[in-house]
Amino acid sequence: MEATPALQCRMRKHLSTTTGPQRLLYGTAIGGAVALVPWPVDGMARGLAGWCAGVLVYQVLTWWLIETFDARRTRERAQSLDQPNLMILVSMLVVVAVSVVAIAMLLQQVKELTGWERAGHVLLGVVALAGSWLMMHTIYAFHYAHRYYIDQKGGRHDGGLDFPGKDDAPDYFDFLYYSYVIGMTSQVSDVQATSREMRRITLVHSVLAFAFNMLVLALSINVVAGAI
């Protein structure tokens, strides 16, 4: 039975305005389903395939929301919604754990494989690592948006971040930019943290980003050295 246009419209509206917990829930459901499919690979590889599928769902829903929200809607939404600190911490731990598993799989199994099977495992591990990196900094982008507009609502004019081009209020793309720059460089660029609270959040994020990048680099060197 086909969905009615009204139902399709409601579904489209819901999927384009999901909250953080909803995106995580949908990603977990899809990822779990993919992992349970009896692929002709071992359990670790199936788990990573499920992780990649779940992260893809999370990222697609995230970018759909970001694309449809202007600065006004970003402010209204950020002031009313945020991902709890405990959920952020748990998400970061899961991201790091999956990254370690992905690299461990490469370290243990790549040597024993050849041809397309070896290439497939390497590709799966790389995609899992890339998905983990994207998810970590996407979650922080939403946290920055919430903190910024909550501070503005509380009377702080600049919201704790000083964006260039002050005539334009920041939308989700601006916070994503700030978060991804920290993820790539572990430092800020042209956007400056101007409040103590925002500096603390940025500090924790920078340390996590640096540790994650160093972990991936160090273990990747072992993978390459072992594969030669």
Side-chain angles (χ1 to χ4, degrees), residues 31 34-35 41-55 97-106 109 120-129 132:
V34 171
V41 293
D42 57 46
M44 187 180 293
R46 286 200 303 272
L48 285 180
W51 170 259
C52 293
V55 170
V98 170
S99 302
V100 172
V101 169
I103 297 176
M105 183 191 76
L106 295 177
Q109 299 180 355
H121 275 68
V122 171
L123 178 62
L124 182 60
V126 171
V127 172
L129 288 174
S132 299

Side-chain angles (χ1 to χ4, degrees), residues 17-39:
T17 58
T18 51
T19 64
Q22 287 172 336
R23 290 191 296 275
L24 289 174
L25 178 62
Y26 296 150
T28 300
I30 297 298
V34 171
L36 291 174
V37 173
W39 306 103

Side-chain angles (χ1 to χ4, degrees), residues 123-147:
L123 178 62
L124 182 60
V126 171
V127 172
L129 288 174
S132 299
W133 188 92
L134 288 170
M135 188 168 181
M136 173 186 289
H137 305 304
T138 300
I139 289 174
Y140 259 100
F142 280 87
H143 191 46
Y144 285 125
H146 173 75
R147 187 72 263 166

Side-chain angles (χ1 to χ4, degrees), residues 64-84:
W64 191 355
L65 182 149
I66 290 174
E67 177 65 29
T68 56
F69 272 61
D70 58 14
R72 179 187 61 80
R73 296 184 70 193
T74 298
R75 180 180 65 253
E76 293 172 353
R77 187 177 188 280
Q79 287 176 345
S80 61
L81 295 174
D82 187 31
Q83 297 168 129

